[in-house]
Amino acid sequence: MARSKTAAFMGIVFLVLFCLSAVTGQATVKEITSAVEMTLPQLFFSLSSASILLIPLAIVTMIAAVIAHLCNQRNVGFVFSLVSFAVFGLFMLLFAQEKTNAALYAPLSDALKEAGVKKLKKRDVDQIIVTYTPFVYLTLASAGAAVCLGFPRLKTEYDRRKLRKDLLPYAYIAPHLFFFIIFFITPAVYGIYAAFTKWDLFNEPVFIGLANFKTLLFDAGNTYYKQLRNGLWNTVKFVIYSVPFCIAVPLALAVALQTKCKGSKLFQALYYFPSLLSITTVTLSWRYMFNTQYGVVPNFLGMKENWFSPPHSWIVLVVVTVWWCAGSNMVIYQSALASIPRTHYEAAAVDGAGAWQRFVHITLPGMKYPLTYTFIISVVAQFNVYGQPLMLTGFNNNEANAVLLMYIQENAVKKQVAGMSAAMSVILGLCIMAVSYVQMRVMRANAPE
């Protein structure tokens, strides 16, 4: 146990030394040599090199190793610290081999211009020589010490069996964990950092503190202030309009299919099929259906309204979303219905209960937990709405159907105001977290014992 605590301490030392570590880049152009230094945390947020993606993997796995050691999970801590040690060493190797390192080029070019190099072009920099400060090597050494101190016991057969038992679950989740760290945690950290910067996607982000949030929340005369309120309100309206139907329609389909009528499997496949399609395919198909010139709804059903302007546009958005999402919830409800004993229905029928009474007093209570679960995932999913309003209405009708994610994409990609877009994303994420927290409390209160 003492070695586990010491290994955890070395893991903490690794994290501290990482914050103190730095790399030095040196380049010579026209017989003028300049050098710059950049700390590893600064390097992490430079967003400029593929090898830098190894840094968050090393950091997260070392944090996991520290937690495992503190929880007396020595075998698990050893594996995570070993991965951190190997990944950080691989980063040092790959980063030093990049001849024209993009992370160091920008500050080096400024240094060379200050030193007297005029009309500097990127092709003039043949090679950037990368060296590491002593703290980098101490960081790697501390990770190696954590590996040695956490080395598992292998003397007896019991120790070897315990090692296999402890590590087998992590062997199964290792591929998912790798992609989760690289493609979820890392972009999330970058996005949160970008919310506190002024960034145009091309130059280095400039840290400006809470300025973006002050503009979004308090500057009533600013365009982004208005976009946040309009986009967030439209998002909330879409959630309110669509979620009840995303629950009620699949529930009705599941109850209808419970009768096991002839061809029920075919209908089940047909109802589930839309959930397999991409949102682009679904939205464009329904856009054709509601087109005022050649669509099925205006021409064959005689409904001549403009379905792409409010209030009818909200109807189209809800119809498209429910048609696309109903299949997934329907399958969950079918599984829940199958778990309700048939004897309950038979006893209720003997007592004279009608179909509606059986549904209210037997079906709904027996599906309380699945209904709560689908309600939570439906709310979270609809808060992230983007494709349907973008392709059906866009920013038309005075942005009457423009949701917040549309403004985020528009500002980041087209207007290159990535810092402001990131701040909008953080606010949207906090709203979703608050709603999810309340729903999770409700879900736990309704969880079966």
Side-chain angles (χ1 to χ4, degrees), residues 75-351:
N75 294 333
V76 177
F78 164 74
V79 170
F80 277 116
S81 58
L82 179 62
V83 172
S84 180
F85 172 76
V87 169
F88 190 76
L90 183 62
F91 156 74
M92 292 177 60
L93 179 64
L94 296 179
F95 189 76
Q97 290 180 347
E98 296 182 12
K99 293 184 178 180
T100 55
N101 194 286
L104 297 171
Y105 172 77
L108 261 178
S109 62
D110 294 336
L112 287 168
K113 290 176 182 177
E114 291 178 1
V117 179
K118 298 180 180 179
K119 297 181 180 180
L120 177 66
K121 297 180 180 179
K122 196 168 186 178
R123 63 174 179 266
D124 296 332
V125 182
D126 295 330
Q127 183 177 5
I128 297 176
I129 301 174
V130 177
T131 57
Y132 299 108
T133 61
F135 278 116
V136 179
Y137 296 101
L138 290 175
T139 303
L140 183 64
S142 62
V147 173
C148 296
L149 290 168
F151 197 85
R153 301 183 184 93
L154 300 173
K155 293 182 180 180
T156 65
E157 181 63 26
Y158 171 78
D159 292 333
R160 291 188 287 271
R161 283 201 307 267
K162 189 175 187 304
L163 177 65
R164 288 193 295 268
K165 180 181 177 181
D166 290 342
L167 299 187
L168 186 60
Y170 294 95
Y172 285 117
I173 69 171
H176 174 75
L177 188 62
F178 171 80
F179 289 109
F180 178 76
I181 294 173
I182 296 298
F183 297 109
F184 180 82
I185 292 182
T186 303
V189 173
Y190 282 147
I192 294 173
Y193 171 72
F196 298 92
T197 66
K198 183 178 181 181
W199 187 31
D200 60 1
L201 293 179
F202 297 102
N203 299 309
E204 290 293 320
V206 179
F207 187 80
I208 57 174
L210 297 173
N212 290 332
F213 294 96
K214 290 180 181 178
T215 300
L216 289 172
L217 298 175
F218 304 110
D219 190 356
N222 192 280
T223 301
Y224 303 116
Y225 174 93
K226 299 175 183 177
Q227 288 181 351
L228 176 67
R229 274 148 183 75
N230 184 60
L232 191 57
W233 175 235
N234 285 336
T235 302
V236 171
K237 285 198 293 185
F238 178 78
V239 172
I240 295 172
Y241 296 155
S242 61
V243 168
F245 292 99
C246 288
I247 302 298
V249 172
L251 179 60
L253 294 176
V255 172
L257 291 172
Q258 192 184 21
T259 58
K260 304 295 182 182
C261 62
K262 188 176 181 180
S264 60
K265 293 298 182 183
L266 173 62
F267 285 107
Q268 178 180 339
L270 291 175
Y271 296 148
Y272 184 73
F273 176 73
S275 63
L276 302 176
L277 302 176
S278 68
I279 185 59
T280 303
T281 303
V282 171
T283 306
L284 293 180
S285 300
W286 280 98
R287 184 176 179 83
Y288 170 82
M289 295 284 289
F290 283 97
N291 189 280
T292 54
Q293 296 181 354
Y294 48 78
V296 174
V297 174
N299 290 284
F300 290 92
L301 300 182
M303 299 179 180
K304 299 298 184 180
E305 294 84 357
N306 183 1
W307 291 95
F308 302 110
S309 64
H312 302 93
S313 54
W314 289 112
I315 299 175
V316 177
L317 289 171
V318 171
V319 168
V320 172
T321 303
V322 173
W323 188 80
W324 183 43
C325 301
S328 300
N329 286 349
M330 181 193 70
V331 172
I332 297 174
Y333 296 152
Q334 283 185 293
S335 177
L337 288 171
S339 66
I340 300 175
R342 305 306 304 169
T343 54
H344 293 182
Y345 292 101
E346 294 170 359
V350 171
D351 291 339

